[in-house]
């Protein structure tokens, strides 16, 4: 290992994060950010990144759906590369650190290694993934899913946005062309994959630690439910005669909460975040209710067992209340485990940089969930204030960001040598 003196240029990095945050569709000024994939603003952000990559002397490749790879070519360019990166799309009215720290931090890690005189054996590549957030097409991580063969190309092409335009049309209009097939990466494309990200939870700040070394990423499954009862006049239909869809849905929602609470896994979380009541009038008995379920765990068997139990409860509630319950699985991803070797490398980098760390799981999911399917994967977390994310007041101090970048830089250097 070449001995390295990593000096992160914190001022420049924070300046770039602020500049990126200013490229926003949000009605409020930065640090409030809105940047939806394939919008004019997203394209402007990509242009800004491109200029930074060029100034850094990196080789840039953009694939057919806009995933952007900026490569620092190693002395053995035919060897599998070491990859890092994250996303720059942002949900409406969110903050300036989610994803961007992994992209601009990845770039700064490369720049700091260059300044330190490091010469990589394997190429090091920073990736900006298209559409990590599900805002536009209802499904997250479309870029990494496509790279890792975790979505059929037909399904991807036919995802539809609120305007009724499909993914293929929208990406073409945004200027990206080529076959969807070409987005797939070979299984040996990356020797290792590491993503730097804010924690989006309160643990690191609460324990006053600098770095979280991610051991596993919890995986989500999402379902839609429909409860069909019988509507009627709120005054005329007496209580014993009612087949109220909302009251039945409420029972199911509380059953889901109960099952999640009593699960043996501390990492299992279940959320009903969206509910639609038909006809939605003050004097009308609800005849139809649709609701969503988002359920996550690091243990997929446990997660799926809880779903099965919830469905059994829903069936019983439907029978008792003489309503019909239908459900549909929208998406079900397996969790991912970090590579033990990468965990070791990240921890060694923490020791070198004299920063404190703990091992932890990622309860939010990231592009790394899918990259783990085609490469040994690791993630580096930095604290964020009060665990707040997806809000304009999302914040990490410049020192916290810089420590994350320094650990990432050493990690990348070490993996590029191996
Ligand atoms: Zn993110």
């Amino acid at each position: 290992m070449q001995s390295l003196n990593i000096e992160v240029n914190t001022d420049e990095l924070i300046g770039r994060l602020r500049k990126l945050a200013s490229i926003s569709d949000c009605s409020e000024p930065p640090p409030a950010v809105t940047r939806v994939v394939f919008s004019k603003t997203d394209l402007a952000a990509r242009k800004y990144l491109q200029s930074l990559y060029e100034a850094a002397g990196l080789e840039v490749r953009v694939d057919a759906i806009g995933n952007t790879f900026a490569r620092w070519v190693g002395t053995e360019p035919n060897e599998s590369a070491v990859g890092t990166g994250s996303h720059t799309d942002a949900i409406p009215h969110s903050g300036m650190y989610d994803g961007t720290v992994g992209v601009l931090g990845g770039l700064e890690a490369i720049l700091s290694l260059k300044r330190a005189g490091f010469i990589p054996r394997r190429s090091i590549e920073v990736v900006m993934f298209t559409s990590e957030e599900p805002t536009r097409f209802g499904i997250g991580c479309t870029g990494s899913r496509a790279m890792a063969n975790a979505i059929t190309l037909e399904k991807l092409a036919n995802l539809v946005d609120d305007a009724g335009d499909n993914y293929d049309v929208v990406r073409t209009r945004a200027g990206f062309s080529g076959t969807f097939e070409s987005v797939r990466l070979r299984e040996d494309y990356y020797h290792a994959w590491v993503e730097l990200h804010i924690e989006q939870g309160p643990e690191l700040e609460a324990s006053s630690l600098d770095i979280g070394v991610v051991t596993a990423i919890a995986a989500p499954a999402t379902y839609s439910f429909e409860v069909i009862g019988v509507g009627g006049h709120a005054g005329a239909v007496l209580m014993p005669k009612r087949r109220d869809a909302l009251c039945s849905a409420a029972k199911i929602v509380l059953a889901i909460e109960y099952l999640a609470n009593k699960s043996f896994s501390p990492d299992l979380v279940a959320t009903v975040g969206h509910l639609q009541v038909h006809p939605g009038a003050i004097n009308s008995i609800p005849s139809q209710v649709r609701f969503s379920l988002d359920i996550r765990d690091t243990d997929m068997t446990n997660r799926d067992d809880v779903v099965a139990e919830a469905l059994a409860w829903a069936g019983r509630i439907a029978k008792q209340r003489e309503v019909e319950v239908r459900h549909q699985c929208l998406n079900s991803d397996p969790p991912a485990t970090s590579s033990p070797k990468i965990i070791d490398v990240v921890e060694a980098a923490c020791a070198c940089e004299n920063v404190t760390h703990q091992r932890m799981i990622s309860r939010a999911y990231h592009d790394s969930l899918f990259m783990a399917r085609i490469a040994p994967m690791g993630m580096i977390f930095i604290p964020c204030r009060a665990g707040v994310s997806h809000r304009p007041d999302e914040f990490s101090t410049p020192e916290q960001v810089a420590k994350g970048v320094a650990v990432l830089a050493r990690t990348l250097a070490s993996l590029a040598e191996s």
Side-chain angles (χ1 to χ4, degrees):
M1 180 78 196
Q2 306 162 38
S3 82
L4 287 174
N5 181 26
I6 305 285
E7 282 182 34
V8 174
N9 193 332
T10 312
D11 289 347
E12 286 223 359
L13 172 56
I14 300 299
R16 291 186 202 114
L17 283 164
R18 290 212 177 105
K19 165 79 183 163
L20 188 55
S22 74
I23 307 173
S24 163
D25 279 323
C26 195
S27 54
E28 279 182 39
V33 180
T34 300
R35 204 161 40 236
V36 177
V37 70
F38 299 140
S39 62
K40 281 205 174 92
T41 308
D42 175 37
L43 298 180
R46 290 163 182 270
K47 209 168 164 195
Y48 172 58
L49 284 180
Q50 181 90 19
S51 70
L52 296 176
Y53 293 152
E54 277 166 16
L58 305 179
E59 273 185 14
V60 179
R61 172 173 83 88
V62 181
D63 76 11
I65 58 171
N67 290 310
T68 304
F69 307 74
R71 178 173 281 229
W72 182 14
V73 179
T75 55
E76 292 180 37
N78 295 327
E79 288 285 328
S80 301
V82 173
T84 188
S86 195
H87 61 102
T88 58
D89 65 328
I91 66 164
H93 214 258
S94 60
M96 61 175 269
Y97 297 90
D98 175 7
T100 55
V101 161
V103 177
L104 291 173
L107 172 64
E108 178 57 27
I110 287 177
L111 291 171
S112 68
L113 287 171
K114 285 193 168 198
R115 287 192 297 268
F118 179 74
I119 295 168
R121 187 175 78 79
R122 296 177 183 277
S123 299
I124 299 178
E125 199 163 71
V126 56
V127 179
M128 192 281 278
F129 292 104
T130 284
S131 192
E132 193 266 352
E133 302 291 1
T135 316
R136 185 157 190 172
F137 293 101
I139 174 169
C141 298
T142 59
S144 51
R145 276 178 205 271
M147 280 183 202
N149 203 7
I151 186 170
T152 68
L153 300 174
E154 200 191 343
K155 181 173 176 186
L156 178 66
N158 290 308
L159 293 173
V160 176
D161 68 8
D162 280 344
D165 295 323
N166 74 26
Y167 199 95
D168 190 17
V169 165
V170 177
R171 65 105 196 199
T172 306
R173 209 189 287 143
F176 302 107
S177 58
T179 65
F180 278 48
E181 194 65 53
S182 65
V183 177
R184 297 264 193 263
L185 293 184
R186 293 188 324 265
E187 292 256 341
D188 63 348
Y189 185 89
Y190 284 122
H191 170 69
W193 171 265
V194 190
E195 180 173 358
L196 173 67
H197 206 281
I198 59 168
E199 181 198 343
Q200 303 182 288
E203 283 183 44
L204 289 173
E205 187 186 62
S207 15
S208 302
L209 292 169
D210 299 317
I211 296 290
V213 183
V214 173
T215 54
I217 305 174
T222 50
Y223 290 80
S224 71
F225 284 81
E226 192 177 6
V227 182
I228 301 144
V230 177
H233 193 286
V237 184
L238 295 178
M239 296 312 284
K241 292 279 177 211
R242 291 203 180 186
R243 292 155 69 189
D244 185 319
L246 179 57
C247 291
S248 309
K251 279 253 172 191
I252 299 170
V253 172
L254 290 175
I256 290 168
E257 186 197 39
Y258 167 76
L259 292 168
N261 273 323
K262 84 172 184 70
S263 163
F264 73 89
S265 164
D267 299 322
L268 185 117
V269 284
T271 307
V272 174
H274 185 250
L275 197 132
Q276 252 181 327
V277 181
H278 179 83
I282 193 168
N283 58 353
S284 183
I285 300 164
S287 61
Q288 223 175 25
V289 171
R290 286 170 190 274
F291 64 93
S292 61
L293 168 64
D294 174 306
I295 181 163
R296 308 174 186 218
D297 199 348
T298 46
D299 179 334
M300 185 159 74
T301 310
N302 184 53
R303 182 193 75 190
D304 293 347
D305 285 351
V306 172
V307 170
E309 266 193 274
L311 294 177
W313 276 69
R316 284 197 295 275
I317 291 163
K319 208 170 165 195
Q320 275 164 13
R321 295 184 155 258
E322 296 181 56
V323 297
E324 192 187 335
V325 178
R326 297 181 192 152
H327 75 276
Q328 195 190 348
C329 176
L330 302 176
N331 188 51
S332 171
D333 295 310
T337 314
S338 299
S339 146
K341 192 189 125 198
I342 296 182
I343 292 174
D344 287 348
V345 171
V346 175
E347 288 187 328
C350 288
C352 253
E353 283 297 316
N354 230 343
V355 298
T356 54
H357 73 275
Q358 72 175 20
R359 293 187 179 196
M360 62 192 301
I361 69 152
S362 171
R363 293 198 168 78
Y365 74 95
H366 303 280
D367 291 299
S368 291
L369 180 67
F370 302 99
M371 296 311 281
R373 297 191 184 194
I374 52 167
M377 176 278 293
M379 284 193 80
I380 300 168
F381 276 176
I382 59 167
C384 55
R385 188 172 60 198
V388 165
S389 182
H390 282 187
R391 272 175 27 189
D393 54 340
E394 178 182 272
F395 180 72
S396 299
T397 67
E399 295 72 30
Q400 287 169 332
V401 176
K403 282 176 182 172
V405 171
V407 170
L408 175 65
R410 272 193 198 279
T411 301
L412 295 176
S414 175
L415 293 168
E417 299 272 83
S418 66

